[in-house]
């Protein structure tokens, strides 16, 4: 039996909507499905504006432009994350400043932010690892005290929330990923969420090659012209059609994933009591979306042994990020303002189990397999 790490749930109207787009022969971006998906996101999250993008990476690049990050400006972020966050800053000439993550949620450690600030600090980029939100009240307080913009990377956190506020509405600017590895997918794809009225118009310009094409399409100006920097970040209608079908199933997909997460969590409790592994921490004031279920082993050797044995049994369990501060580009372009002890340790000890809709009948077998591998450690 082979169990993949991930399998997108494409069981709604994806094919029907894709067919519709192809029949219209109008497959460029900005059509009906784009509008429907953007409206869905705006209403559900309560944001000022939602814009579909070609990826979360693209949305992060736009967010850093919107935050007006200039050469030498510093942006606080975790190192236990994807290169897209740091790249977005470096592409504008800015300097990513890495601080450690919390040992419980594995999100940016808000208690370490103020120590890392300098006169060049302009923004904070929290990332909600595994869909479990960072301590956003404290991050918002720090940002307000020091006049910093919050760029929320909610790539993992679609339909997660913090103190009843949805992720995607917790920063000045926020981003989602709809990459095929995420809960809700359009192959490649993402969204930029704007929570500040004063940034909406510029966001539309950045998305459209630096032009006011959005205003032209709404009939607000007679022709469109180049106004600002920008690029081509608008996805095609094919992507938007697939995404809209996914959004219609988003609650079903999320609740199935949360049940799988809960099943693992309950079953692995006994091993945590024995000290063989630690389980994720999901604080009571936030709802997660079942994006990732991970185990933390006591050391790297145990993690490698369990990962190898699971793979031999046909279960594709995965490690995660190589910390950015410890990579060639991280050393070249960034500043590390902390010991990074938790980041380094977590990166060596973490292993993610498969989570996908349809996995339910295999869960007990996966858990038994983990149990028998761990039994050899006792
Ligand atoms: C935290 C985080 N941010 C951003 C991204 C980039 O997403 P995309 O593939 O949509 O560009 C990823 C990708 O997995 C991610 O894990």
């Amino acid at each position: 039996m082979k169990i993949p790490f991930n399998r997108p749930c494409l069981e709604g109207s994806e094919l029907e909507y894709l067919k519709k787009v192809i029949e219209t022969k109008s497959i460029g971006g900005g059509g009906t499905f784009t509008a429907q998906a953007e409206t869905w996101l705006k209403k559900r999250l309560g944001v000022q504006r939602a814009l579909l993008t070609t990826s979360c990476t693209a949305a992060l690049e736009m967010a850093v432009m919107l935050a007006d990050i200039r050469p030498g400006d510093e942006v606080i972020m975790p190192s236990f994350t994807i290169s897209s966050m740091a790249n977005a800053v470096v592409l504008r000439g800015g300097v990513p400043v890495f601080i450690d993550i919390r040992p419980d949620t594995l999100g940016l450690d808000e208690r370490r932010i103020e120590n890392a600030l300098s006169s060049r600090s302009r923004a904070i980029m929290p990332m909600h690892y595994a869909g479990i939100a960072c301590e956003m009240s404290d991050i918002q307080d720090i940002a307000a005290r020091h006049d910093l913009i919050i760029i929320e990377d909610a790539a993992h956190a679609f339909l997660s929330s913090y103190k009843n506020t949805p992720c995607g509405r917790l920063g000045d600017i926020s981003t989602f990923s709809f990459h095929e590895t995420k809960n809700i997918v359009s192959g490649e794809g993402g969204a930029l969420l704007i929570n500040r009225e004063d940034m909406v118009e510029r966001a539309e310009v950045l998305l459209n090659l630096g032009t006011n094409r959005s205003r032209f399409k709404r009939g607000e100006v007679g022709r469109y012209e180049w106004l600002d920097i920008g690029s081509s970040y608008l996805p095609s209608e094919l992507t938007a059609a697939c995404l809209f079908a996914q959004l219609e199933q988003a609650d079903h997909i999320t609740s199935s994933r949360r049940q799988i997460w809960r099943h693992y969590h309950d079953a692995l409790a006994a091993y945590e009591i024995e000290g063989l592994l630690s389980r994720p921490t999901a604080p009571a004031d936030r709802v997660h979306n079942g994006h990732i279920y991970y185990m933390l082993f006591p050391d790297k050797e145990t993690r490698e042994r369990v990962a190898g044995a699971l793979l031999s049994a046909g279960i594709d369990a995965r490690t995660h990020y190589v910390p950015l501060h410890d990579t060639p580009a991280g050393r070249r372009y960034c500043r590390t303002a902390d010991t990074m002890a938790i980041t380094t340790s977590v990166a060596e000890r973490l292993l993610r189990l498969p989570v996908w809709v349809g996995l339910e009948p295999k869960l007990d077998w996966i858990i038994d397999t983990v149990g028998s591998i761990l039994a050899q450690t006792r």
Side-chain angles (χ1 to χ4, degrees):
M1 184 162 26
K2 283 261 182 285
I3 310 273
F5 177 68
N6 176 53
R7 180 179 283 171
C9 176
L10 297 162
E11 287 162 16
S13 308
E14 289 83 358
L15 262 184
E16 182 195 330
Y17 293 172
L18 285 167
K19 188 164 173 276
K20 253 192 198 170
V21 175
I22 287 169
E23 281 168 358
T24 64
K25 306 219 182 300
S26 191
I27 60 176
T32 322
F33 281 113
T34 300
Q36 280 178 291
E38 290 181 349
T39 304
W40 192 102
L41 291 169
K42 180 175 169 10
K43 284 201 177 137
R44 179 64 181 255
L45 303 163
V47 295
Q48 293 282 340
R49 182 81 160 95
L51 293 169
L52 297 195
T53 58
T54 45
S55 65
C56 183
T57 301
L60 286 165
E61 288 176 13
M62 288 179 66
V64 170
M65 287 182 208
L66 266 181
D68 210 15
I69 299 301
R70 293 170 184 230
D73 288 351
E74 294 190 346
V75 179
I76 308 278
M77 65 177 70
S79 157
F80 190 60
T81 188
I82 190 100
S83 56
S84 308
M85 286 176 72
N87 256 329
V89 173
V90 172
L91 284 166
R92 308 301 319 144
V95 181
V97 174
F98 297 127
I99 61 167
D100 217 341
I101 50 173
R102 290 185 59 106
D104 49 8
T105 59
L106 313 190
L108 189 74
D109 192 335
E110 71 288 349
R111 299 164 299 189
R112 296 167 178 271
I113 295 174
E114 282 181 304
N115 265 343
L117 296 179
S118 77
S119 59
R120 299 306 308 264
S121 304
R122 296 286 176 269
I124 310 175
M125 283 175 103
M127 190 276 271
H128 309 305
Y129 185 74
I132 298 171
C134 297
E135 194 54 84
M136 290 308 294
S137 302
D138 291 3
I139 293 175
Q140 285 160 349
D141 287 349
I142 294 166
R145 266 205 304 282
H146 298 278
D147 195 21
L148 303 169
I149 288 179
I150 299 179
I151 299 172
E152 178 195 14
D153 182 334
H156 293 191
F158 186 65
L159 298 191
S160 294
S161 62
Y162 172 83
K163 297 183 180 168
N164 297 319
T165 302
C167 292
R169 208 176 81 200
L170 294 162
D172 297 285
I173 317 162
S174 308
T175 63
F176 286 132
S177 173
F178 302 118
H179 182 257
E180 67 161 352
T181 51
K182 301 300 184 289
N183 291 13
I184 301 302
V185 300
S186 56
E188 304 285 344
L192 182 77
L193 300 313
I194 322 283
N195 296 302
R196 277 176 44 173
E197 184 60 45
D198 61 328
M199 289 182 170
V200 170
E201 195 172 329
R202 183 153 190 250
E204 290 182 347
V205 169
L206 299 179
L207 181 87
N208 283 294
L209 325 173
T211 73
N212 52 351
R213 186 164 62 183
S214 295
R215 295 196 64 197
F216 171 73
K217 283 178 83 176
R218 290 196 293 266
E220 294 166 11
V221 289
R223 63 192 179 116
Y224 68 87
E225 57 187 345
W226 184 29
L227 300 179
D228 199 341
I229 57 169
S231 192
S232 172
Y233 293 123
L234 183 67
S236 88
E237 270 303 277
L238 295 166
T239 301
C242 181
L243 180 63
F244 187 60
Q246 287 275 293
L247 294 175
E248 290 178 331
Q249 304 172 73
D251 288 309
H252 155 68
I253 293 173
T254 308
S255 85
S256 301
R257 297 184 69 107
R258 283 177 54 80
Q259 277 169 30
I260 292 169
W261 192 101
R262 174 49 60 191
H263 196 108
Y264 279 139
H265 204 59
D266 292 345
L268 296 173
Y271 301 112
E272 187 171 61
I273 291 165
E274 275 193 71
L276 295 172
L277 53 77
S278 339
R279 298 175 304 152
T281 304
D285 60 0
R286 51 208 95 167
V287 177
H288 70 82
N289 61 355
H291 179 49
I292 289 173
Y293 194 86
Y294 65 82
M295 306 174 284
L296 281 170
F297 293 101
D299 48 53
K300 186 177 182 182
E301 293 66 39
T302 313
R303 193 268 304 267
E304 301 296 296
R305 203 169 49 71
V306 176
L310 284 173
L311 203 58
S312 305
I315 299 165
D316 188 5
R318 302 249 173 114
T319 61
H320 213 168
Y321 304 116
V322 174
L324 298 179
H325 74 276
D326 206 15
T327 59
R331 284 188 283 271
R332 182 163 172 198
Y333 296 118
C334 310
R335 177 162 82 81
T336 299
D338 209 343
T339 64
M340 313 310 278
I342 308 293
T343 297
T344 305
S345 163
V346 162
E348 288 179 351
R349 297 185 296 115
L350 182 139
L351 190 66
R352 294 173 292 160
L353 287 171
V355 180
W356 40 270
V357 180
L359 181 65
E360 295 82 350
K362 317 261 171 37
L363 281 179
D364 287 332
W365 178 72
I366 296 174
I367 290 158
D368 289 348
T369 310
V370 171
S372 47
I373 296 165
L374 288 175
Q376 294 157 23
T377 319
R378 282 193 188 96

